[in-house]
C-alpha cells in the first residue's frame, strides 16, 4: 500500500505573471470553497461543480510507471480555487488479483470541503485494463430492500483495496482534522461537504463507494456530508435489480442520494458507459444521466439512424429466442419499442448540441448488445477520427469520445477558458 500526502501550493506561487489588464482569471473559481460547501443543487446552475469534478478526475491520471502524482492533482485543484489544499493519495497494486486502485482525497485549507477522486483505467497499464474485464459478479456486502446484490468484481475489489484508509481519513476530516495523520490539531467546525468523483474505472469505483456509504449503517454520519457523486464515462457496475433498488430505496433521513445526487455524464458516443456488453450478463445504470451530443448534419443523422437500426435488427433474433425460452413476450415487445426509439433519436435530435438530462428510463444510454461493438466498432471509430476523410462516419460507439479531456472541455462554463485560468 502506498499512502502519500502533499500540501498544495498557494495562489501567489501559481498566479500567472501577466499584466493586470490581462483578461485571464485566476484562480478559476475564487469562491469555489463556498460553492462546494453550500451545494444545495446538484448540478449547480452555473455548471461550476461538474467542471471542477471532471477536471479533478482527468488529472487523477497524472503519474509515472503506474505511480500516482499527488503534486499535480494538488496543483490543479489549487488553480481551480482550493488554495494550499491537503492532498492524500491511497494506492494499492496486486497484479495477480487485478488490483490497480488509486484514490485521491483533497481537503481545502480550512477543512470545510473534501473531494474523493478515484483514478480511472490507465491506458498503458494492463492490470487496470484487466480489472475492467473482470466482470464476474461478486456479492456486495450491503443490503437494499432486505437482500444483497451482485456487482462487477473488478470494480468492487479495487474499492475495497483502499477503503479502510479512505474511511479513516474521512473520519479525521469530519472532526476538523487534517487528512494527513501526521498533522495535529483541529480547524473550524469540521467537514461540511463531501464529493466523490471519477472517470471511467474511477467513476465505477465512485459509484460503488457511494452505494456502500449510503446503505452501510456505520457510515451514515459520513453520508450526511455527501453533497454529490459525479462520474464521467462510467461503465455500469451492477444488474437491473441493483439499479432498481438504488432508485427506490432511500438513504439516511429518507434522502434518495443514489437516485438524485449521483450524476453520470456521457460524452456523445463514448463506448465505456455501454459496458459491460450484454453477452456477459445484464447490467443497468442508476442515478441521473446527462448526455452530451455534438451537432450533426442531416446526412450524418440519417446514416446514424440506419446504422443503429441495422445493429438492433441483428440482435433481434437472439432476443426472440431468449424470450421464447422464458415466455417473456411482453419483455420482448418492450425491448423492440425501446430499440425503435433509440434508433430514431439521432434523426430527431440531429441539430441538438450540448448537455441534456435523460429523464426517460427507456432512453438511457443502452447496454452494448454484442461483443462486436467493443472489439470492432469502437476501435474503428477511434482510428476513423484521426483521418479527415473518415472522421464523420457515424459509428455507434467510439473510444475517442471516452477521453477525459472531452468531458473537461464540454463541461467548462461560458467564460472559463481552461483549468489554468489563462487565455487559450
Amino acid at each position: 500500500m502506498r499512502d502519500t500526502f502533499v500540501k498544495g501550493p498557494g495562489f501567489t506561487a501559481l498566479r500567472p505573471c501577466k499584466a493586470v489588464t490581462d483578461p485571464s482569471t485566476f484562480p478559476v473559481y475564487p469562491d469555489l470553497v463556498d460553492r462546494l460547501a453550500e451545494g444545495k443543487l446538484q448540478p449547480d446552475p452555473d455548471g461550476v461543480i461538474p467542471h471542477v469534478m471532471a477536471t479533478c478526475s482527468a488529472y487523477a491520471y497524472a503519474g509515472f510507471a503506474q505511480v500516482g502524482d499527488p503534486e499535480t492533482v494538488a496543483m490543479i485543484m489549487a488553480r481551480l480555487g482550493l488554495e494550499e489544499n491537503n492532498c492524500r493519495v491511497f494506492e494499492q497494486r496486486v497484479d495477480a488479483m487485478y488490483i490497480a486502485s488509486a484514490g485521491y482525497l483533497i481537503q481545502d485549507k480550512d477543512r470545510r470541503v473534501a473531494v474523493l477522486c478515484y483514478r480511472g483505467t490507465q491506458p498503458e497499464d494492463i492490470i487496470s485494463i484487466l480489472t475492467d474485464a473482470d466482470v464476474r459478479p461478486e456479492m456486495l456486502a450491503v443490503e437494499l430492500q432486505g437482500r444483497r446484490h451482485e456487482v462487477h468484481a473488478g470494480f468492487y475489489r479495487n474499492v475495497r483495496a483502499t477503503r479502510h484508509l479512505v474511511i479513516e481519513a474521512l473520519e479525521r476530516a469530519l472532526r476538523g482534522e487534517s487528512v494527513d495523520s501526521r498533522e495535529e490539531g483541529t480547524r473550524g467546525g469540521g467537514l461540511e461537504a463531501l464529493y466523490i468523483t471519477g472517470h471511467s474505472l474511477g467513476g465505477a469505483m465512485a459509484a460503488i463507494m457511494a452505494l456502500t456509504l449510503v446503505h452501510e449503517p456505520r457510515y451514515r454520519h459520513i453520508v450526511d456530508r455527501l453533497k454529490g457523486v459525479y462520474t464521467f464515462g462510467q461503465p455500469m457496475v451492477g444488474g437491473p435489480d441493483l439499479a432498481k433498488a438504488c432508485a427506490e430505496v432511500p438513504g439516511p433521513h429518507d434522502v434518495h442520494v443514489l437516485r438524485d445526487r449521483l450524476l453520470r455524464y456521457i460524452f456523445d458516443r463514448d463506448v465505456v458507459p455501454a459496458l459491460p456488453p450484454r453477452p456477459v450478463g445484464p447490467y443497468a445504470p442508476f442515478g441521473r444521466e446527462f448526455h452530451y451530443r455534438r451537432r450533426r448534419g442531416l446526412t450524418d443523422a440519417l446514416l446514424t439512424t440506419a446504422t443503429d437500426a441495422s445493429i438492433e435488427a441483428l440482435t433481434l433474433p437472439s432476443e426472440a429466442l431468449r424470450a421464447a425460452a422464458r415466455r417473456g413476450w411482453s419483455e420482448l415487445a418492450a425491448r423492440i419499442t425501446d430499440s425503435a426509439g433509440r434508433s430514431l433519436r439521432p434523426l430527431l435530435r440531429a441539430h441538438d448540441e450540448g448537455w441534456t438530462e435523460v429523464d426517460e428510463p427507456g432512453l438511457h444510454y443502452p447496454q452494448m448488445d454484442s461483443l462486436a461493438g467493443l472489439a470492432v466498432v469502437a476501435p474503428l471509430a477511434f482510428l476513423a477520427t484521426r483521418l479527415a476523410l473518415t472522421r464523420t462516419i457515424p459509428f455507434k460507439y467510439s473510444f475517442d469520445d471516452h477521453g477525459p479531456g472531452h468531458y473537461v472541455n464540454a463541461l467548462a462554463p461560458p467564460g472559463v477558458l481552461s483549468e489554468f485560468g489563462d487565455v487559450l
Side-chain angles (χ1 to χ4, degrees), residues 295-334:
R295 182 184 296 273
R296 290 184 170 82
L298 181 59
T299 301
D300 188 5
L302 286 169
L303 287 171
T304 302
T305 297
T307 302
D308 290 354
S310 299
I311 293 173
E312 296 288 352
L314 288 173
T315 61
L316 187 58
S318 60
E319 294 286 341
L321 287 174
R322 283 195 287 267
R326 61 178 182 270
R327 300 183 183 275
W329 300 114
S330 59
E331 180 183 335
L332 178 62

Side-chain angles (χ1 to χ4, degrees), residues 25-322:
T25 58
F26 184 84
V28 179
Y29 302 114
D31 60 344
L32 181 57
V33 173
D34 289 334
R35 285 178 176 272
L36 293 173
E38 182 179 5
K40 291 182 178 179
L41 295 176
Q42 303 295 337
D44 60 304
D46 297 328
V48 170
I49 295 177
H51 180 236
V52 169
M53 297 302 148
T55 305
C56 185
S57 298
Y59 280 92
Y61 287 99
F64 303 93
Q66 291 87 55
V67 176
D69 182 2
E71 289 86 357
T72 294
V73 174
M75 177 268 292
I76 288 296
M77 295 305 284
R79 289 184 179 278
L80 289 173
L82 300 186
E83 181 183 23
E84 297 177 356
N85 61 77
N86 300 318
C87 182
R88 187 173 172 184
V89 58
F90 312 95
E91 297 178 275
Q92 177 69 278
R93 285 188 65 89
V94 184
D95 291 355
M97 295 296 295
Y98 305 151
I99 293 175
S101 179
Y104 290 86
L105 185 59
I106 305 100
Q107 177 188 45
D108 78 294
K109 66 177 182 179
D110 293 324
R111 303 175 187 174
R112 297 175 60 197
V113 301
V115 177
L116 173 59
C117 179
Y118 286 103
R119 185 183 66 200
T121 303
Q122 295 176 296
E124 80 285 1
D125 185 1
I126 186 61
I127 296 302
S128 62
I129 293 172
L130 290 173
T131 294
D132 290 349
D134 187 7
V135 297
R136 177 179 56 83
E138 188 164 323
M139 192 67 72
L140 184 62
V142 296
E143 290 191 0
L144 291 85
Q145 291 183 322
R147 57 168 294 189
R148 295 189 176 188
H149 292 270
E150 293 183 337
V151 296
H152 185 293
F155 301 157
Y156 190 31
R157 187 181 297 117
N158 271 257
V159 172
R160 289 186 297 185
T162 56
R163 187 174 64 189
H164 65 289
L165 285 181
V166 170
I167 294 295
E168 180 183 276
L170 288 176
E171 294 279 8
R172 293 182 59 85
L174 285 171
R175 297 190 295 266
E177 300 174 6
S178 170
V179 295
D180 179 15
S181 59
R182 299 168 299 179
E183 190 173 345
E184 299 180 352
T186 61
R187 188 176 300 167
L191 185 67
E192 298 175 30
L194 169 66
Y195 293 83
I196 307 177
T197 189
H199 171 268
S200 191
L201 163 65
M205 293 172 66
I208 292 176
M209 184 60 166
L211 174 61
T212 304
L213 291 177
V214 169
H215 290 288
E216 178 64 47
R218 58 181 167 164
Y219 299 146
R220 289 189 174 178
H221 59 298
I222 299 176
V223 176
D224 287 340
R225 303 293 188 271
L226 182 58
K227 298 288 187 178
V229 182
Y230 286 79
T231 72
F232 309 94
Q234 174 213 316
M236 291 172 278
V237 302
D241 289 343
L242 174 64
K244 184 174 184 292
C246 288
E248 294 178 352
V249 180
H253 313 299
D254 290 328
V255 177
H256 285 271
V257 177
L258 301 176
R259 185 191 68 188
D260 301 333
R261 297 186 190 174
L262 191 149
L263 297 86
R264 296 179 299 106
Y265 287 83
I266 300 172
F267 183 83
D268 208 35
R269 295 168 176 171
D270 187 348
V271 64
V272 174
L275 301 177
R278 194 179 300 277
V280 306
Y283 280 76
F286 57 88
R288 297 166 61 188
E289 179 178 306
F290 294 80
H291 191 182
Y292 184 90
R293 295 179 179 86
R294 292 188 180 101
R295 182 184 296 273
R296 290 184 170 82
L298 181 59
T299 301
D300 188 5
L302 286 169
L303 287 171
T304 302
T305 297
T307 302
D308 290 354
S310 299
I311 293 173
E312 296 288 352
L314 288 173
T315 61
L316 187 58
S318 60
E319 294 286 341
L321 287 174
R322 283 195 287 267

Side-chain angles (χ1 to χ4, degrees), residues 329-343:
W329 300 114
S330 59
E331 180 183 335
L332 178 62
R335 173 85 168 81
I336 293 173
T337 302
D338 290 345
S339 298
R342 287 198 301 267
S343 297

